[in-house]
Amino acid sequence: GSRTASIMMGGLWRGGWFEAEDPPCCSVRVAGNDINVPLPPEVFNLLPIRVWEYLAVITLMTSLVVGQVCCFYVFFASRDLISRLVFDTQHQELEGVRIRKPKAKVESRGAAEKTMIVLGSGGHTAEMLRVLKHMDLAKYRPRCYVVSGTDDMSADRALRFEKERQEGGLDPGQADPGVFDIPRSREVGQSYVTSVFTTIRSLVASAAVVFVERPALLLCNGPGTCLPVCVALKLIRPLSSKIIFVESICRTRTLSLTGKIVYHLRLADTLFVQWPELQASYPRATYSGRVF
């Protein structure tokens, strides 16, 4: 429904002052429901009515975003707790009994895993391709790439990277990779209020890609492009997939905004940082050297 905000006074407005028996209140109408907050009369004299209307809408949208973040945190924390309890129960060994694992299970560990790689843009894409060059990609195939809809350069670089590997005979078993475009969650300079709706649109597109591809491993780094993909993968395949997040090399003291969200919501199974000072500030992160 449409969102409207209005100032509801319990008395008369005369010469810039309130004369009312009942204290005025700020009322925000959302989908036909009124939310009334009593305010002292002097408050309305500080700013124009139109400013109070915008503040009411912004406050409501901010509370919705905070509520969504809290719900995601509770969901993933509960999921991790349940999966840990189930895992510990299934792998308990009886005292004095040696459990032998079937040979087929041991060999299956070396099987290739379907991998999805999220490319940010610019330097983030360069870092991710650098990571891929140092990986045994024969174990991570078939591969597909996810880029934002406005980033044509990253898509071209991904296809060129795969073509060079095939022409060089480095990965003959890899088929032509798929490159999927998703809407960007937030453009540079976009307001945080409108970014709520673009993020939802990006999450829906990411869920469709994840549902079709169903990767076992997700590699991502840097910008917010990867956040909807991470959330979609955790919702669709919470126990049968892994997420690896590599923080940018330019983050030496604090994590990026995306890194903080991934870290505190525990979206990634492993979060790599490229500076030991950064790992000291975030103990659950892993430091294994630098990409460059």
Side-chain angles (χ1 to χ4, degrees):
S2 60
R3 300 181 305 276
T4 60
S6 60
I7 304 299
M8 307 298 296
M9 278 76 74
L12 299 176
W13 173 272
R14 296 181 179 176
W17 298 93
F18 282 101
E19 295 182 1
E21 298 179 358
D22 298 328
C25 62
C26 179
S27 176
V28 179
R29 178 178 294 274
V30 179
N33 298 320
D34 290 332
I35 302 176
N36 298 321
V37 180
L39 296 173
E42 294 79 6
V43 174
F44 293 99
N45 297 324
L46 299 177
L47 296 173
I49 298 297
R50 180 63 61 182
V51 175
W52 286 113
E53 293 177 354
Y54 286 128
L55 289 177
V57 174
I58 293 174
T59 302
L60 178 62
M61 296 303 300
T62 303
S63 63
L64 292 177
V65 174
V66 173
Q68 290 176 351
V69 172
C70 294
C71 290
F72 276 124
Y73 182 83
V74 173
F75 171 80
F76 290 122
S78 303
R79 186 216 60 186
D80 292 341
L81 178 61
I82 294 174
S83 62
R84 191 178 300 113
L85 294 175
V86 173
F87 179 84
D88 293 341
T89 302
Q90 292 178 348
H91 290 76
Q92 285 181 349
E93 295 183 1
L94 297 177
E95 184 177 0
V97 178
R98 182 181 179 183
I99 300 179
R100 296 180 178 272
K101 295 183 178 180
K103 186 176 181 180
K105 286 289 184 179
V106 177
E107 293 177 350
S108 64
R109 293 181 179 178
E113 298 286 349
K114 190 170 187 178
T115 304
M116 177 177 289
I117 303 120
V118 181
L119 300 179
S121 60
H124 296 295
T125 297
E127 286 189 20
M128 180 55 69
L129 295 179
R130 181 81 173 181
V131 171
L132 295 177
K133 288 181 180 179
H134 290 82
M135 294 175 58
D136 184 6
L137 294 182
K139 298 179 181 179
Y140 305 99
R141 63 186 185 191
R143 295 181 293 277
C144 63
Y145 295 85
V146 176
V147 299
S148 64
T150 57
D151 187 12
D152 296 331
M153 183 177 296
S154 294
D156 294 338
R157 295 181 67 178
L159 294 175
R160 187 165 60 250
F161 171 78
E162 293 290 346
K163 183 178 180 181
E164 291 175 356
R165 289 187 58 85
Q166 292 181 5
E167 292 178 349
L170 299 177
D171 197 4
Q174 166 68 9
D176 293 335
V179 179
F180 300 92
D181 297 339
I182 62 173
R184 189 182 290 271
S185 300
R186 180 176 180 269
E187 298 289 348
V188 177
Q190 182 180 353
S191 67
Y192 289 102
V193 176
T194 58
S195 64
V196 174
F197 303 100
T198 55
T199 300
I200 295 175
R201 183 183 63 172
S202 181
L203 178 60
V204 173
S206 301
V209 173
V210 170
F211 183 80
V212 172
E213 293 297 314
R214 306 183 70 83
L217 176 65
L218 175 65
L219 298 177
C220 54
N221 71 333
T225 306
C226 68
L227 276 179
V229 185
C230 292
V231 174
L233 184 60
K234 285 296 185 181
L235 293 176
I236 295 176
R237 304 194 66 185
L239 301 178
S240 58
S241 61
K242 300 292 183 181
I243 296 178
I244 307 298
F245 182 87
V246 182
E247 183 59 281
S248 174
I249 193 173
C250 66
R251 309 302 302 193
T252 60
R253 300 293 180 182
T254 61
L255 293 175
S256 61
L257 177 59
T258 304
K260 291 178 181 178
I261 296 175
V262 171
Y263 181 86
H264 292 296
L265 293 183
R266 300 175 182 266
L267 292 178
D269 296 276
T270 305
L271 190 151
F272 286 101
V273 296
Q274 302 188 48
W275 297 93
E277 297 84 359
L278 189 56
Q279 195 275 334
S281 301
Y282 299 90
R284 285 192 285 106
T286 302
Y287 171 71
S288 298
R290 288 184 283 274
V291 175
F292 294 100

